[in-house]
Amino acid sequence: MVVVSVPAEVTVILLDIEVPGDLTSSEGKHTKDTLFPYIKENVKEYLQTHWDEEECQQDVSLLRKQAEEDAHLDGAVPIPVASGNAGDDLQQMIQAVVDNVYWQMSHDRKTTALKQLQGHMWKAAFTAGRMKAEFFADVVPAVRRWREAGMKVYIYSSGSVEAQKLLFGHSTEGDILELIDGHFDTKIGHKVESESYRKIADSIGCSTSNILFLTDVTLEASAAEEADVHVAVVVRPGNAGLTDDEKTYYNLITSFSELYLPST
């Protein structure tokens, strides 16, 4: 087994968990194989059921604003403002939101507007018991071990903080939110921008050199390194392949159990 030694100055472990993403699997599959399809299959029904609720209207408003910003992009789907209360008008607007969501997802967009709606849909599903997060077997034991060693553990995801908390709060191992010290999403900055990692360090109250960032995306690893954050690249089944240069340059782990913490 390959062992990567955690630098002695590290006091914070920052996990890159996509929601859905790298750390979770269900029946051997990434959660993206169940969570993303759930959105596509249920978004129209969800909108029809929750349309009059304030939360849903806020989601639609944010999606409409994003659509306006995307107007110059090929294939972008506009979301009209209601011109009346007629049923046909409402159904046309709901269909426009559905089409916009489909378009964004087909282009792997990670906009705050899309993630917010997805998060609210997943919340309804998790709360109703229709979904549970299943973590790779090494994840929870490793996080417990890190915390026992005095480490703080944070999540940084392109998925919303709310969606992150859903995964940890509704897992097959129960509510394990207590194992996580805090959550960050793209509201603090994009994961491929080095400034985001400086902001995270400031928010935590530590130096960037006190952080070890675990990610499966080398562009994110590179951005973190530019901010003097320590990094290790996580290689999981289904993740994007690495180039030979990347395999040589980065510390690679296939399991969280491969991280060695110096005695404290």
Side-chain angles (χ1 to χ4, degrees):
M1 181 179 73
V2 175
V3 175
V4 173
S5 184
V6 177
E9 65 183 333
V10 168
T11 58
V12 172
I13 296 181
L14 182 65
L15 303 179
D16 158 31
I17 175 172
E18 290 299 323
V19 182
D22 323 311
L23 306 186
T24 59
S25 66
S26 178
E27 298 177 352
K29 297 181 179 180
H30 278 260
T31 357
K32 67 185 177 186
D33 294 325
T34 55
L35 289 188
F36 277 154
Y38 178 84
I39 297 296
K40 290 184 176 181
E41 293 165 9
N42 293 277
V43 62
K44 187 169 186 175
E45 177 188 352
Y46 177 87
L47 290 169
Q48 289 173 332
T49 302
H50 299 276
W51 186 261
D52 292 330
E53 298 172 13
E54 182 179 356
E55 182 178 82
C56 185
Q57 284 302 304
Q58 289 174 348
D59 292 343
V60 172
S61 178
L62 206 57
L63 284 164
R64 182 180 292 113
K65 182 178 179 181
Q66 182 64 52
E68 292 170 357
E69 295 175 5
D70 292 338
H72 65 287
L73 300 176
D74 287 341
V77 180
I79 300 175
V81 177
S83 58
N85 295 318
D88 288 346
D89 188 54
L90 174 60
Q91 290 306 313
Q92 288 177 4
M93 196 183 323
I94 288 176
Q95 189 58 51
V97 176
V98 171
D99 292 343
N100 179 275
V101 168
Y102 279 14
W103 176 76
Q104 288 203 58
M105 292 181 69
S106 70
H107 289 78
D108 197 26
R109 302 292 299 282
K110 299 184 186 297
T111 63
T112 298
L114 177 62
K115 294 297 181 183
Q116 180 170 299
L117 174 64
Q118 289 174 330
H120 290 153
M121 288 185 63
W122 289 327
K123 179 181 180 180
F126 277 113
T127 302
R130 296 169 69 179
M131 286 184 168
K132 287 187 182 296
E134 184 178 352
F135 292 83
F136 285 117
D138 58 282
V139 172
V140 175
V143 173
R144 291 189 190 279
R145 190 168 62 251
W146 298 338
R147 289 179 61 88
E148 288 170 2
M151 293 283 177
K152 290 187 178 296
V153 180
Y154 290 82
I155 306 296
Y156 181 29
S157 173
S158 58
S160 70
V161 166
E162 184 173 22
Q164 296 173 39
K165 290 181 177 179
L166 282 173
L167 284 179
F168 287 92
H170 299 84
S171 81
T172 54
E173 301 196 37
D175 184 347
I176 53 175
L177 273 170
E178 65 179 11
L179 298 179
I180 308 302
D181 290 283
H183 302 258
F184 299 98
D185 56 22
T186 52
K187 288 181 180 178
I188 203 162
H190 291 289
K191 293 159 73 180
V192 295
E193 297 174 355
S194 58
E195 185 60 26
S196 302
Y197 300 89
R198 298 186 184 96
K199 289 179 179 178
I200 286 174
D202 287 343
S203 178
I204 294 172
C206 68
S207 167
T208 53
S209 62
N210 297 138
I211 299 174
L212 171 63
F213 179 48
L214 305 183
T215 179
D216 67 319
V217 180
T218 54
L219 283 176
E220 297 171 4
S222 177
E225 279 196 331
E226 286 181 19
D228 294 325
V229 169
H230 298 281
V231 302
V233 173
V234 183
V235 180
R236 296 285 195 187
N239 285 356
L242 304 176
T243 66
D244 289 340
D245 286 345
E246 289 171 339
K247 291 177 182 177
T248 302
Y249 179 78
Y250 290 106
N251 286 321
L252 306 180
I253 59 173
T254 59
S255 166
F256 286 179
S257 63
E258 294 171 1
L259 284 181
Y260 172 74
L261 272 60
S263 299
T264 55

